[in-house]
Amino acid sequence: MGKDNIEDVDIVVIGAGFSGMYAIHRLRNQFNVLCFEAGDGVGGTWYWNRYPGARVDIVSLEYSYGFDDALQQEWHWPEYFSAQPELERYANHVADRFNLREHIRFSNPVERLRFDAGSNRWHVHTARGDHVVCRYVIAATGSLFASNTPDWPGREKFKGQVLHTTQWPREGMDLAGKRVGLIGTGSTGIQAAPIIAEQAEHLHVFQRTPAFTMPSGNRPLDAEYEQAWKQAYPQRRKQMLNTWGASLIEYPTLSAHDCTPEERDRILENAWNSKNAFQLQLAFNDVMTDLAANKYVVEFAHRKIRQIVKDPEVAELLCPKTYPIGGKRLCIGNGYYEMFNRPNVTLVDVKSAPIVEFTENGLRTTRKSYDLDVIILATGFDALTGALTRIDIEGLDHVKLADKWKDGPTTYLGSMVAGFPNLFMIHGPMTPAAQAQMITTGEWQVNWTAGIIEAMERDGCTRIDTTQDAERAWADEVDAAAGATVHRFADSWYNGRNIDGKKGGFMIYIGGFPRFADTCINAIANNHEGFVRV
Ligand code: N01
């Protein structure tokens, strides 16, 4: 503790999600590390998103830490795709097993960061009044942390309860006998809706844009499958990092154009029934790059929706027709389309008649009023940038990060921002982020960042920054990779077009994880190319 109760540490980590927790573990033997966490527990995404049905759609044996072989050997995942409580339990186990809590201050979000150019130190101010000075900040703030809550007027008038899916109470909610309105039909809304429909008296699903959804295929973990993974864990972890999405799912080699219509349908039917999430998008090697190939899959998905949903008008509304499949994130459901055959579920199209306001008794659209007891906002996130721009971050020459990013994020390798020295991001804008398996790639990014910090110490440097030229060159790479895919035809959190007025281009690097990792490694090997060290 220094003067005026200012504490002095080497590294501040922001966020005790999976990457932040690993950053503490990785660095604490060499450095004095302190982590600030907004929540009262560990787990990040899997701490905040405890809405009914929250479940990962990547095989848990992959979607878990690889840094400690005893941990991955001993931990048992009961299901292929773990539900939120299991992921939170795992995060807590890791925090206890590796004594991470002693480095974490909970319920204490960082509110302000200011770089002092004279001392090359960051001043960190938190909601609870902590003031810490440190040499490096690692922002492990998550891609999907800052919630998006549309500002329809009249919220104070509504007599019922309104909550975003990230605010679900730990003790759950009793929705029996309640008239529930669920706004939003992305991955979250689609997971939550069928479970809410089973409890509520009536569920109104307010849909602006339908999403493509395929069945999850979740099931209890097969013992042989688990054993095969555990026998080869270290090799498999390495293999994962050599694949496009850092996952051992099967990547297709066949073009949709290279088969007969019958073969195509058979492959798509197998994909739909497969036990792997995302298989529909991975049915052919050109679904994500060629609109004609993509159209086959879109038509197949439409046929499935029309087969499942009995009311033809509802089925038509549920068929996505304004963007290619995979353009937005493919959603993984559990009885989502079937749910619309229930008498207590109504689909409300808020594209043709948008929501106007909250009323005393519910919601009003331009067409009609709806009486509701509970309104659930599954309206997504100010993704990738929101977690950082909502902190008051001031770099060199008093420039604020939110101002620097007002026309969209600029980063070098998704890791640093010019003018904000000694501040590193994990899963920042323009990394592969959620387009690659985030726990394993988060570990990778933490290791790479730790290497940069260790080299600073070794070489006697006190400041590392990047340049606007490096940022521009990286932006060109990010754009080129995205421009080659069907993502450009969809509005989504990937490009910020899910938020009114948010500017910028595609915010995720989708050139594949191996290429991203090579670029990062080569930059360091090439005399810290793109960085400036003093
Ligand atoms: O958020 P979203 P999410 N009026 O942005 C609607 C990950 N995740 O929380 O499409 C009316 O996808 C919006 O409509 P539109 C995953 O990466 C993973 O569902 O913008 N509606 C949309 O329907 C995912 O991609 C898992 O027209 C409004 C919805 O709200 C990411 O998190 C599970 C509106 C938001 O959908 C985000 O998913 C859950 C308005 N003003 C999440 N504003 C798994 O691993 C927004 N909407 C399985």
PDB file of all heavy atoms in Angstrom, residues 46 51 55-57 144 148 150 152 183-189 191 208-209 328-329 350 355 378-381 434 493 498, ligand 1:
ATOM      1  N   TRP A  46     -20.239 -17.690 -17.777  1.00  0.00           N
ATOM      2  CA  TRP A  46     -20.989 -18.793 -17.158  1.00  0.00           C
ATOM      3  C   TRP A  46     -21.384 -18.473 -15.729  1.00  0.00           C
ATOM      4  O   TRP A  46     -22.008 -19.290 -15.062  1.00  0.00           O
ATOM      5  CB  TRP A  46     -20.210 -20.106 -17.279  1.00  0.00           C
ATOM      6  CG  TRP A  46     -20.038 -20.434 -18.728  1.00  0.00           C
ATOM      7  CD1 TRP A  46     -18.896 -20.334 -19.465  1.00  0.00           C
ATOM      8  CD2 TRP A  46     -21.066 -20.831 -19.642  1.00  0.00           C
ATOM      9  NE1 TRP A  46     -19.140 -20.652 -20.777  1.00  0.00           N
ATOM     10  CE2 TRP A  46     -20.473 -20.964 -20.911  1.00  0.00           C
ATOM     11  CE3 TRP A  46     -22.444 -21.089 -19.514  1.00  0.00           C
ATOM     12  CZ2 TRP A  46     -21.186 -21.341 -22.047  1.00  0.00           C
ATOM     13  CZ3 TRP A  46     -23.161 -21.464 -20.648  1.00  0.00           C
ATOM     14  CH2 TRP A  46     -22.532 -21.588 -21.886  1.00  0.00           C
ATOM     15  N   TYR A  51     -29.696 -18.062 -17.141  1.00  0.00           N
ATOM     16  CA  TYR A  51     -31.102 -18.168 -17.563  1.00  0.00           C
ATOM     17  C   TYR A  51     -31.436 -19.640 -17.840  1.00  0.00           C
ATOM     18  O   TYR A  51     -30.535 -20.455 -18.098  1.00  0.00           O
ATOM     19  CB  TYR A  51     -31.338 -17.293 -18.815  1.00  0.00           C
ATOM     20  CG  TYR A  51     -30.489 -17.703 -19.993  1.00  0.00           C
ATOM     21  CD1 TYR A  51     -30.869 -18.741 -20.838  1.00  0.00           C
ATOM     22  CD2 TYR A  51     -29.270 -17.078 -20.259  1.00  0.00           C
ATOM     23  CE1 TYR A  51     -30.079 -19.148 -21.901  1.00  0.00           C
ATOM     24  CE2 TYR A  51     -28.466 -17.472 -21.319  1.00  0.00           C
ATOM     25  CZ  TYR A  51     -28.882 -18.508 -22.134  1.00  0.00           C
ATOM     26  OH  TYR A  51     -28.107 -18.926 -23.179  1.00  0.00           O
ATOM     27  N   ARG A  55     -26.625 -23.311 -21.966  1.00  0.00           N
ATOM     28  CA  ARG A  55     -25.812 -24.532 -22.181  1.00  0.00           C
ATOM     29  C   ARG A  55     -24.799 -24.234 -23.286  1.00  0.00           C
ATOM     30  O   ARG A  55     -25.119 -23.533 -24.252  1.00  0.00           O
ATOM     31  CB  ARG A  55     -26.754 -25.665 -22.624  1.00  0.00           C
ATOM     32  CG  ARG A  55     -26.097 -26.998 -22.881  1.00  0.00           C
ATOM     33  CD  ARG A  55     -27.144 -28.014 -23.365  1.00  0.00           C
ATOM     34  NE  ARG A  55     -28.102 -28.395 -22.345  1.00  0.00           N
ATOM     35  CZ  ARG A  55     -27.862 -29.218 -21.323  1.00  0.00           C
ATOM     36  NH1 ARG A  55     -26.684 -29.771 -21.197  1.00  0.00           N
ATOM     37  NH2 ARG A  55     -28.808 -29.498 -20.458  1.00  0.00           N
ATOM     38  N   VAL A  56     -23.626 -24.756 -23.162  1.00  0.00           N
ATOM     39  CA  VAL A  56     -22.620 -24.560 -24.207  1.00  0.00           C
ATOM     40  C   VAL A  56     -22.930 -25.484 -25.385  1.00  0.00           C
ATOM     41  O   VAL A  56     -23.596 -26.513 -25.210  1.00  0.00           O
ATOM     42  CB  VAL A  56     -21.198 -24.811 -23.645  1.00  0.00           C
ATOM     43  CG1 VAL A  56     -20.970 -26.267 -23.329  1.00  0.00           C
ATOM     44  CG2 VAL A  56     -20.137 -24.290 -24.595  1.00  0.00           C
ATOM     45  N   ASP A  57     -22.470 -25.095 -26.575  1.00  0.00           N
ATOM     46  CA  ASP A  57     -22.734 -25.966 -27.725  1.00  0.00           C
ATOM     47  C   ASP A  57     -21.426 -26.488 -28.333  1.00  0.00           C
ATOM     48  O   ASP A  57     -21.364 -26.796 -29.507  1.00  0.00           O
ATOM     49  CB  ASP A  57     -23.617 -25.267 -28.762  1.00  0.00           C
ATOM     50  CG  ASP A  57     -23.094 -23.902 -29.121  1.00  0.00           C
ATOM     51  OD1 ASP A  57     -21.936 -23.611 -28.786  1.00  0.00           O
ATOM     52  OD2 ASP A  57     -23.840 -23.122 -29.742  1.00  0.00           O
ATOM     53  N   LEU A 144     -18.775 -11.038 -24.642  1.00  0.00           N
ATOM     54  CA  LEU A 144     -20.227 -10.882 -24.498  1.00  0.00           C
ATOM     55  C   LEU A 144     -20.538 -10.595 -23.035  1.00  0.00           C
ATOM     56  O   LEU A 144     -21.016 -11.458 -22.307  1.00  0.00           O
ATOM     57  CB  LEU A 144     -20.933 -12.159 -24.978  1.00  0.00           C
ATOM     58  CG  LEU A 144     -20.764 -12.465 -26.468  1.00  0.00           C
ATOM     59  CD1 LEU A 144     -21.046 -13.926 -26.768  1.00  0.00           C
ATOM     60  CD2 LEU A 144     -21.667 -11.580 -27.313  1.00  0.00           C
ATOM     61  N   ASN A 148     -27.209  -5.614 -23.930  1.00  0.00           N
ATOM     62  CA  ASN A 148     -27.937  -4.646 -24.761  1.00  0.00           C
ATOM     63  C   ASN A 148     -29.382  -4.603 -24.289  1.00  0.00           C
ATOM     64  O   ASN A 148     -30.097  -5.594 -24.390  1.00  0.00           O
ATOM     65  CB  ASN A 148     -27.868  -5.091 -26.232  1.00  0.00           C
ATOM     66  CG  ASN A 148     -28.826  -4.306 -27.109  1.00  0.00           C
ATOM     67  OD1 ASN A 148     -28.935  -3.084 -26.987  1.00  0.00           O
ATOM     68  ND2 ASN A 148     -29.532  -5.002 -27.984  1.00  0.00           N
ATOM     69  N   PRO A 150     -32.660  -2.479 -25.055  1.00  0.00           N
ATOM     70  CA  PRO A 150     -33.275  -1.413 -25.851  1.00  0.00           C
ATOM     71  C   PRO A 150     -34.036  -0.439 -24.946  1.00  0.00           C
ATOM     72  O   PRO A 150     -34.610  -0.851 -23.936  1.00  0.00           O
ATOM     73  CB  PRO A 150     -34.242  -2.168 -26.776  1.00  0.00           C
ATOM     74  CG  PRO A 150     -33.729  -3.571 -26.806  1.00  0.00           C
ATOM     75  CD  PRO A 150     -33.095  -3.813 -25.488  1.00  0.00           C
ATOM     76  N   TRP A 152     -36.879   1.285 -24.893  1.00  0.00           N
ATOM     77  CA  TRP A 152     -38.266   1.647 -25.119  1.00  0.00           C
ATOM     78  C   TRP A 152     -38.754   2.479 -23.931  1.00  0.00           C
ATOM     79  O   TRP A 152     -38.419   2.167 -22.771  1.00  0.00           O
ATOM     80  CB  TRP A 152     -39.146   0.403 -25.238  1.00  0.00           C
ATOM     81  CG  TRP A 152     -38.767  -0.480 -26.378  1.00  0.00           C
ATOM     82  CD1 TRP A 152     -38.827  -0.179 -27.705  1.00  0.00           C
ATOM     83  CD2 TRP A 152     -38.242  -1.804 -26.295  1.00  0.00           C
ATOM     84  NE1 TRP A 152     -38.376  -1.237 -28.453  1.00  0.00           N
ATOM     85  CE2 TRP A 152     -38.011  -2.247 -27.605  1.00  0.00           C
ATOM     86  CE3 TRP A 152     -37.941  -2.660 -25.235  1.00  0.00           C
ATOM     87  CZ2 TRP A 152     -37.505  -3.492 -27.909  1.00  0.00           C
ATOM     88  CZ3 TRP A 152     -37.426  -3.918 -25.525  1.00  0.00           C
ATOM     89  CH2 TRP A 152     -37.214  -4.320 -26.839  1.00  0.00           C
ATOM     90  N   ILE A 183     -38.359 -11.275 -25.343  1.00  0.00           N
ATOM     91  CA  ILE A 183     -37.979 -10.480 -26.519  1.00  0.00           C
ATOM     92  C   ILE A 183     -36.595 -10.927 -26.971  1.00  0.00           C
ATOM     93  O   ILE A 183     -35.647 -10.880 -26.188  1.00  0.00           O
ATOM     94  CB  ILE A 183     -37.960  -8.976 -26.188  1.00  0.00           C
ATOM     95  CG1 ILE A 183     -39.304  -8.554 -25.598  1.00  0.00           C
ATOM     96  CG2 ILE A 183     -37.649  -8.169 -27.445  1.00  0.00           C
ATOM     97  CD1 ILE A 183     -39.287  -7.157 -24.987  1.00  0.00           C
ATOM     98  N   GLY A 184     -36.502 -11.338 -28.235  1.00  0.00           N
ATOM     99  CA  GLY A 184     -35.203 -11.738 -28.756  1.00  0.00           C
ATOM    100  C   GLY A 184     -35.156 -13.225 -29.046  1.00  0.00           C
ATOM    101  O   GLY A 184     -35.496 -14.054 -28.204  1.00  0.00           O
ATOM    102  N   THR A 185     -34.702 -13.540 -30.256  1.00  0.00           N
ATOM    103  CA  THR A 185     -34.659 -14.941 -30.683  1.00  0.00           C
ATOM    104  C   THR A 185     -33.279 -15.278 -31.247  1.00  0.00           C
ATOM    105  O   THR A 185     -33.156 -15.845 -32.325  1.00  0.00           O
ATOM    106  CB  THR A 185     -35.767 -15.221 -31.717  1.00  0.00           C
ATOM    107  OG1 THR A 185     -35.652 -14.236 -32.760  1.00  0.00           O
ATOM    108  CG2 THR A 185     -37.144 -15.124 -31.105  1.00  0.00           C
ATOM    109  N   GLY A 186     -32.243 -14.879 -30.512  1.00  0.00           N
ATOM    110  CA  GLY A 186     -30.885 -15.339 -30.826  1.00  0.00           C
ATOM    111  C   GLY A 186     -30.623 -16.604 -30.020  1.00  0.00           C
ATOM    112  O   GLY A 186     -31.554 -17.236 -29.487  1.00  0.00           O
ATOM    113  N   SER A 187     -29.352 -16.969 -29.875  1.00  0.00           N
ATOM    114  CA  SER A 187     -28.993 -18.213 -29.165  1.00  0.00           C
ATOM    115  C   SER A 187     -29.616 -18.269 -27.779  1.00  0.00           C
ATOM    116  O   SER A 187     -30.068 -19.332 -27.328  1.00  0.00           O
ATOM    117  CB  SER A 187     -27.479 -18.311 -28.990  1.00  0.00           C
ATOM    118  OG  SER A 187     -26.848 -18.318 -30.224  1.00  0.00           O
ATOM    119  N   THR A 188     -29.651 -17.119 -27.082  1.00  0.00           N
ATOM    120  CA  THR A 188     -30.160 -17.102 -25.712  1.00  0.00           C
ATOM    121  C   THR A 188     -31.664 -17.338 -25.684  1.00  0.00           C
ATOM    122  O   THR A 188     -32.156 -18.229 -24.975  1.00  0.00           O
ATOM    123  CB  THR A 188     -29.833 -15.737 -25.054  1.00  0.00           C
ATOM    124  OG1 THR A 188     -28.428 -15.560 -25.052  1.00  0.00           O
ATOM    125  CG2 THR A 188     -30.371 -15.658 -23.645  1.00  0.00           C
ATOM    126  N   GLY A 189     -32.411 -16.532 -26.436  1.00  0.00           N
ATOM    127  CA  GLY A 189     -33.865 -16.652 -26.440  1.00  0.00           C
ATOM    128  C   GLY A 189     -34.301 -18.052 -26.851  1.00  0.00           C
ATOM    129  O   GLY A 189     -35.230 -18.640 -26.276  1.00  0.00           O
ATOM    130  N   GLN A 191     -32.675 -20.866 -26.501  1.00  0.00           N
ATOM    131  CA  GLN A 191     -32.452 -21.858 -25.424  1.00  0.00           C
ATOM    132  C   GLN A 191     -33.475 -21.705 -24.309  1.00  0.00           C
ATOM    133  O   GLN A 191     -33.934 -22.693 -23.734  1.00  0.00           O
ATOM    134  CB  GLN A 191     -31.050 -21.687 -24.829  1.00  0.00           C
ATOM    135  CG  GLN A 191     -29.945 -22.195 -25.724  1.00  0.00           C
ATOM    136  CD  GLN A 191     -28.602 -22.186 -25.009  1.00  0.00           C
ATOM    137  OE1 GLN A 191     -28.292 -21.283 -24.235  1.00  0.00           O
ATOM    138  NE2 GLN A 191     -27.788 -23.185 -25.283  1.00  0.00           N
ATOM    139  N   ARG A 208     -37.918 -10.292 -33.885  1.00  0.00           N
ATOM    140  CA  ARG A 208     -37.662  -9.308 -34.937  1.00  0.00           C
ATOM    141  C   ARG A 208     -37.067 -10.000 -36.163  1.00  0.00           C
ATOM    142  O   ARG A 208     -37.516  -9.793 -37.276  1.00  0.00           O
ATOM    143  CB  ARG A 208     -36.710  -8.219 -34.419  1.00  0.00           C
ATOM    144  CG  ARG A 208     -36.512  -7.099 -35.406  1.00  0.00           C
ATOM    145  CD  ARG A 208     -35.903  -5.875 -34.773  1.00  0.00           C
ATOM    146  NE  ARG A 208     -34.513  -6.088 -34.378  1.00  0.00           N
ATOM    147  CZ  ARG A 208     -33.762  -5.169 -33.793  1.00  0.00           C
ATOM    148  NH1 ARG A 208     -34.270  -3.975 -33.517  1.00  0.00           N
ATOM    149  NH2 ARG A 208     -32.500  -5.427 -33.459  1.00  0.00           N
ATOM    150  N   THR A 209     -36.075 -10.846 -35.928  1.00  0.00           N
ATOM    151  CA  THR A 209     -35.470 -11.591 -37.037  1.00  0.00           C
ATOM    152  C   THR A 209     -35.405 -13.064 -36.627  1.00  0.00           C
ATOM    153  O   THR A 209     -34.842 -13.384 -35.581  1.00  0.00           O
ATOM    154  CB  THR A 209     -34.025 -11.098 -37.297  1.00  0.00           C
ATOM    155  OG1 THR A 209     -34.020  -9.672 -37.331  1.00  0.00           O
ATOM    156  CG2 THR A 209     -33.474 -11.632 -38.595  1.00  0.00           C
ATOM    157  N   LYS A 328     -25.386 -15.065 -39.433  1.00  0.00           N
ATOM    158  CA  LYS A 328     -25.424 -14.831 -37.990  1.00  0.00           C
ATOM    159  C   LYS A 328     -25.049 -16.157 -37.362  1.00  0.00           C
ATOM    160  O   LYS A 328     -25.092 -17.192 -38.021  1.00  0.00           O
ATOM    161  CB  LYS A 328     -26.852 -14.526 -37.535  1.00  0.00           C
ATOM    162  CG  LYS A 328     -27.416 -13.180 -37.893  1.00  0.00           C
ATOM    163  CD  LYS A 328     -28.894 -13.211 -37.530  1.00  0.00           C
ATOM    164  CE  LYS A 328     -29.651 -11.979 -37.888  1.00  0.00           C
ATOM    165  NZ  LYS A 328     -29.650 -10.942 -36.872  1.00  0.00           N
ATOM    166  N   ARG A 329     -24.846 -16.154 -36.084  1.00  0.00           N
ATOM    167  CA  ARG A 329     -24.450 -17.414 -35.449  1.00  0.00           C
ATOM    168  C   ARG A 329     -25.603 -18.425 -35.516  1.00  0.00           C
ATOM    169  O   ARG A 329     -26.747 -18.093 -35.184  1.00  0.00           O
ATOM    170  CB  ARG A 329     -24.083 -17.173 -34.003  1.00  0.00           C
ATOM    171  CG  ARG A 329     -23.398 -18.364 -33.362  1.00  0.00           C
ATOM    172  CD  ARG A 329     -23.090 -17.981 -31.942  1.00  0.00           C
ATOM    173  NE  ARG A 329     -22.228 -18.898 -31.254  1.00  0.00           N
ATOM    174  CZ  ARG A 329     -22.648 -19.990 -30.645  1.00  0.00           C
ATOM    175  NH1 ARG A 329     -23.919 -20.326 -30.695  1.00  0.00           N
ATOM    176  NH2 ARG A 329     -21.800 -20.747 -29.987  1.00  0.00           N
ATOM    177  N   VAL A 350     -42.304  -8.673 -34.436  1.00  0.00           N
ATOM    178  CA  VAL A 350     -42.041  -7.251 -34.159  1.00  0.00           C
ATOM    179  C   VAL A 350     -41.144  -6.612 -35.221  1.00  0.00           C
ATOM    180  O   VAL A 350     -40.619  -5.527 -35.028  1.00  0.00           O
ATOM    181  CB  VAL A 350     -41.467  -7.019 -32.729  1.00  0.00           C
ATOM    182  CG1 VAL A 350     -42.504  -7.355 -31.676  1.00  0.00           C
ATOM    183  CG2 VAL A 350     -40.181  -7.787 -32.500  1.00  0.00           C
ATOM    184  N   ILE A 355     -41.944  -2.949 -31.366  1.00  0.00           N
ATOM    185  CA  ILE A 355     -42.305  -2.565 -29.997  1.00  0.00           C
ATOM    186  C   ILE A 355     -42.154  -1.050 -29.882  1.00  0.00           C
ATOM    187  O   ILE A 355     -41.155  -0.477 -30.323  1.00  0.00           O
ATOM    188  CB  ILE A 355     -41.385  -3.275 -28.977  1.00  0.00           C
ATOM    189  CG1 ILE A 355     -41.605  -4.790 -29.057  1.00  0.00           C
ATOM    190  CG2 ILE A 355     -41.617  -2.752 -27.554  1.00  0.00           C
ATOM    191  CD1 ILE A 355     -40.594  -5.621 -28.313  1.00  0.00           C
ATOM    192  N   ALA A 378     -34.046 -10.972 -24.014  1.00  0.00           N
ATOM    193  CA  ALA A 378     -32.960 -11.822 -24.530  1.00  0.00           C
ATOM    194  C   ALA A 378     -32.381 -11.077 -25.723  1.00  0.00           C
ATOM    195  O   ALA A 378     -32.262 -11.611 -26.824  1.00  0.00           O
ATOM    196  CB  ALA A 378     -33.510 -13.192 -24.930  1.00  0.00           C
ATOM    197  N   THR A 379     -32.050  -9.816 -25.484  1.00  0.00           N
ATOM    198  CA  THR A 379     -31.723  -8.899 -26.572  1.00  0.00           C
ATOM    199  C   THR A 379     -30.228  -8.748 -26.819  1.00  0.00           C
ATOM    200  O   THR A 379     -29.797  -7.811 -27.490  1.00  0.00           O
ATOM    201  CB  THR A 379     -32.359  -7.518 -26.285  1.00  0.00           C
ATOM    202  OG1 THR A 379     -32.191  -7.217 -24.886  1.00  0.00           O
ATOM    203  CG2 THR A 379     -33.834  -7.516 -26.602  1.00  0.00           C
ATOM    204  N   GLY A 380     -29.448  -9.637 -26.260  1.00  0.00           N
ATOM    205  CA  GLY A 380     -28.050  -9.738 -26.646  1.00  0.00           C
ATOM    206  C   GLY A 380     -27.121  -8.733 -25.996  1.00  0.00           C
ATOM    207  O   GLY A 380     -27.382  -8.230 -24.897  1.00  0.00           O
ATOM    208  N   PHE A 381     -26.058  -8.412 -26.738  1.00  0.00           N
ATOM    209  CA  PHE A 381     -24.911  -7.728 -26.134  1.00  0.00           C
ATOM    210  C   PHE A 381     -24.335  -6.637 -27.040  1.00  0.00           C
ATOM    211  O   PHE A 381     -24.393  -6.730 -28.259  1.00  0.00           O
ATOM    212  CB  PHE A 381     -23.801  -8.754 -25.864  1.00  0.00           C
ATOM    213  CG  PHE A 381     -24.234  -9.826 -24.908  1.00  0.00           C
ATOM    214  CD1 PHE A 381     -24.878 -10.980 -25.371  1.00  0.00           C
ATOM    215  CD2 PHE A 381     -24.050  -9.677 -23.546  1.00  0.00           C
ATOM    216  CE1 PHE A 381     -25.305 -11.967 -24.490  1.00  0.00           C
ATOM    217  CE2 PHE A 381     -24.473 -10.655 -22.656  1.00  0.00           C
ATOM    218  CZ  PHE A 381     -25.099 -11.802 -23.126  1.00  0.00           C
ATOM    219  N   ALA A 434     -15.249 -15.573 -30.448  1.00  0.00           N
ATOM    220  CA  ALA A 434     -16.196 -16.688 -30.375  1.00  0.00           C
ATOM    221  C   ALA A 434     -16.242 -17.508 -31.657  1.00  0.00           C
ATOM    222  O   ALA A 434     -17.044 -18.430 -31.778  1.00  0.00           O
ATOM    223  CB  ALA A 434     -17.588 -16.158 -30.050  1.00  0.00           C
ATOM    224  N   TRP A 493     -24.057  -9.337 -33.999  1.00  0.00           N
ATOM    225  CA  TRP A 493     -23.108  -8.756 -33.051  1.00  0.00           C
ATOM    226  C   TRP A 493     -21.676  -8.866 -33.557  1.00  0.00           C
ATOM    227  O   TRP A 493     -20.796  -8.164 -33.075  1.00  0.00           O
ATOM    228  CB  TRP A 493     -23.278  -9.363 -31.657  1.00  0.00           C
ATOM    229  CG  TRP A 493     -22.983 -10.835 -31.498  1.00  0.00           C
ATOM    230  CD1 TRP A 493     -23.874 -11.864 -31.545  1.00  0.00           C
ATOM    231  CD2 TRP A 493     -21.718 -11.434 -31.217  1.00  0.00           C
ATOM    232  NE1 TRP A 493     -23.251 -13.066 -31.316  1.00  0.00           N
ATOM    233  CE2 TRP A 493     -21.917 -12.832 -31.107  1.00  0.00           C
ATOM    234  CE3 TRP A 493     -20.422 -10.930 -31.041  1.00  0.00           C
ATOM    235  CZ2 TRP A 493     -20.888 -13.734 -30.841  1.00  0.00           C
ATOM    236  CZ3 TRP A 493     -19.383 -11.830 -30.775  1.00  0.00           C
ATOM    237  CH2 TRP A 493     -19.626 -13.207 -30.678  1.00  0.00           C
ATOM    238  N   ASN A 498     -26.136  -5.172 -34.645  1.00  0.00           N
ATOM    239  CA  ASN A 498     -27.254  -5.513 -33.749  1.00  0.00           C
ATOM    240  C   ASN A 498     -27.580  -4.344 -32.822  1.00  0.00           C
ATOM    241  O   ASN A 498     -28.598  -4.368 -32.136  1.00  0.00           O
ATOM    242  CB  ASN A 498     -26.913  -6.747 -32.893  1.00  0.00           C
ATOM    243  CG  ASN A 498     -25.735  -6.496 -31.948  1.00  0.00           C
ATOM    244  OD1 ASN A 498     -24.809  -5.781 -32.306  1.00  0.00           O
ATOM    245  ND2 ASN A 498     -25.776  -7.064 -30.774  1.00  0.00           N
TER     246      ASN A 498
HETATM  247  O1  N01 B   1     -27.930 -12.303 -28.552  1.00  0.00           O
HETATM  248  P1  N01 B   1     -28.219 -12.106 -30.115  1.00  0.00           P
HETATM  249  P2  N01 B   1     -27.949 -13.682 -27.740  1.00  0.00           P
HETATM  250  N1  N01 B   1     -36.382  -5.220 -30.692  1.00  0.00           N
HETATM  251  O2  N01 B   1     -27.641 -10.772 -30.456  1.00  0.00           O
HETATM  252  C1  N01 B   1     -33.261  -9.232 -30.659  1.00  0.00           C
HETATM  253  C2  N01 B   1     -23.499 -16.589 -27.465  1.00  0.00           C
HETATM  254  N2  N01 B   1     -24.387 -17.570 -26.846  1.00  0.00           N
HETATM  255  O3  N01 B   1     -27.781 -13.328 -26.302  1.00  0.00           O
HETATM  256  O4  N01 B   1     -31.735 -10.331 -34.838  1.00  0.00           O
HETATM  257  C3  N01 B   1     -36.627  -6.512 -30.934  1.00  0.00           C
HETATM  258  O5  N01 B   1     -27.790 -13.270 -30.916  1.00  0.00           O
HETATM  259  C4  N01 B   1     -32.418  -9.538 -31.864  1.00  0.00           C
HETATM  260  O6  N01 B   1     -33.137  -9.293 -33.044  1.00  0.00           O
HETATM  261  P3  N01 B   1     -32.318  -8.994 -34.442  1.00  0.00           P
HETATM  262  C5  N01 B   1     -23.486 -16.806 -28.967  1.00  0.00           C
HETATM  263  O7  N01 B   1     -22.226 -16.512 -29.474  1.00  0.00           O
HETATM  264  C6  N01 B   1     -24.034 -18.868 -26.936  1.00  0.00           C
HETATM  265  O8  N01 B   1     -29.078 -14.509 -28.117  1.00  0.00           O
HETATM  266  O9  N01 B   1     -31.229  -8.011 -34.082  1.00  0.00           O
HETATM  267  N3  N01 B   1     -35.698  -7.472 -30.872  1.00  0.00           N
HETATM  268  C7  N01 B   1     -32.096 -11.003 -31.608  1.00  0.00           C
HETATM  269  O10 N01 B   1     -33.168 -11.824 -31.971  1.00  0.00           O
HETATM  270  C8  N01 B   1     -24.527 -15.827 -29.424  1.00  0.00           C
HETATM  271  O11 N01 B   1     -24.429 -15.487 -30.778  1.00  0.00           O
HETATM  272  C9  N01 B   1     -24.859 -19.830 -26.441  1.00  0.00           C
HETATM  273  O12 N01 B   1     -33.321  -8.457 -35.346  1.00  0.00           O
HETATM  274  C10 N01 B   1     -34.461  -7.104 -30.537  1.00  0.00           C
HETATM  275  C11 N01 B   1     -31.932 -11.033 -30.092  1.00  0.00           C
HETATM  276  O13 N01 B   1     -32.604  -9.885 -29.585  1.00  0.00           O
HETATM  277  C12 N01 B   1     -24.264 -14.685 -28.488  1.00  0.00           C
HETATM  278  O14 N01 B   1     -24.000 -15.291 -27.237  1.00  0.00           O
HETATM  279  C13 N01 B   1     -26.054 -19.484 -25.843  1.00  0.00           C
HETATM  280  C14 N01 B   1     -34.134  -5.765 -30.246  1.00  0.00           C
HETATM  281  C15 N01 B   1     -30.493 -10.954 -29.669  1.00  0.00           C
HETATM  282  O15 N01 B   1     -29.811 -12.043 -30.187  1.00  0.00           O
HETATM  283  C16 N01 B   1     -25.409 -13.708 -28.317  1.00  0.00           C
HETATM  284  O16 N01 B   1     -26.645 -14.413 -28.222  1.00  0.00           O
HETATM  285  C17 N01 B   1     -26.392 -18.150 -25.724  1.00  0.00           C
HETATM  286  C18 N01 B   1     -35.154  -4.806 -30.355  1.00  0.00           C
HETATM  287  N4  N01 B   1     -34.900  -3.510 -30.134  1.00  0.00           N
HETATM  288  C19 N01 B   1     -25.546 -17.193 -26.247  1.00  0.00           C
HETATM  289  N5  N01 B   1     -32.816  -5.707 -29.944  1.00  0.00           N
HETATM  290  C20 N01 B   1     -24.443 -21.236 -26.590  1.00  0.00           C
HETATM  291  O17 N01 B   1     -23.316 -21.599 -26.395  1.00  0.00           O
HETATM  292  C21 N01 B   1     -32.339  -6.973 -30.038  1.00  0.00           C
HETATM  293  N6  N01 B   1     -33.336  -7.805 -30.399  1.00  0.00           N
HETATM  294  C22 N01 B   1     -25.415 -22.176 -27.045  1.00  0.00           C
END
